[in-house]
Amino acid sequence: MKDSINKIEYDFEHSTEIIMNLISMGFSFSFLFDGTSMLPTILPKSKIKLINPTSLKLNNIYIYIDLNSPTKRLVCHRLIDIKNNICYFKGDNRSEIDAPVAMQMIIAEVII
C-alpha cells in the first residue's frame, strides 16, 4: 500500500494580492520575521505587524515586492529616500542600498 502525501500548494502571487487587498481595507497581519537584514532592529523570529501604509515616511520600515527576485519575494527594509515616485530601501544590517522600488510595490508598513 502506497503512502499518500497531502500537498498544500502555495500560490504566492495570489496570497500577496489577498494580503495587499485586506491591508488596504484596514486589516492587519502579524508574521514572524525571517532573516538577518534588519538586525539589530528586528531579530530573527520576532513578531512584526503589517498595516496599511497611509503615507510613506523616511526611516520607517515597509514591506515591498522585489520584482528583481525570481520568486517576487517580499522584503522588509527601511525607507531611506524617495525621488520621482521611486523608493530606495536598505536593510539595517546591510551596507548596500536595495534596487529602486516603484511606490506601487510597497504593500505594508511594519510595526515592531
Side-chain angles (χ1 to χ4, degrees):
M1 185 189 249
K2 289 186 178 180
D3 291 324
S4 64
I5 298 173
N6 292 329
K7 182 178 178 184
I8 298 173
E9 292 197 21
Y10 180 70
D11 186 343
F12 182 79
E13 186 175 327
H14 287 99
S15 59
T16 300
E17 185 178 319
I18 291 167
I19 292 170
M20 288 173 56
N21 288 335
L22 290 172
I23 287 174
S24 72
M25 293 168 49
F27 290 90
S28 64
F29 290 88
S30 292
F31 290 98
L32 292 180
F33 182 77
D34 184 28
T36 59
S37 67
M38 287 302 294
L39 285 172
T41 308
I42 306 174
L43 301 174
K45 307 298 181 208
S46 294
K47 188 176 182 181
I48 60 172
K49 183 177 181 181
L50 309 185
I51 63 170
N52 188 23
T54 54
S55 64
L56 298 179
K57 296 179 186 122
L58 293 181
N59 294 314
N60 283 6
I61 300 169
Y62 296 92
I63 300 284
Y64 69 86
I65 302 169
D66 182 2
L67 295 178
N68 296 315
S69 145
T71 60
K72 295 186 176 133
R73 69 188 176 112
L74 298 179
V75 177
C76 175
H77 279 173
R78 188 176 303 281
L79 179 63
I80 61 167
D81 200 4
I82 303 172
K83 291 181 182 171
N84 300 319
N85 292 325
I86 301 296
C87 298
Y88 297 88
F89 290 89
K90 182 180 161 303
D92 289 359
N93 192 29
R94 300 287 185 250
S95 57
E96 293 184 17
I97 297 172
D98 301 347
V101 175
M103 282 184 162
Q104 59 268 29
M105 292 297 101
I106 300 169
I107 66 166
E109 183 173 354
V110 173
I111 305 296
I112 305 169

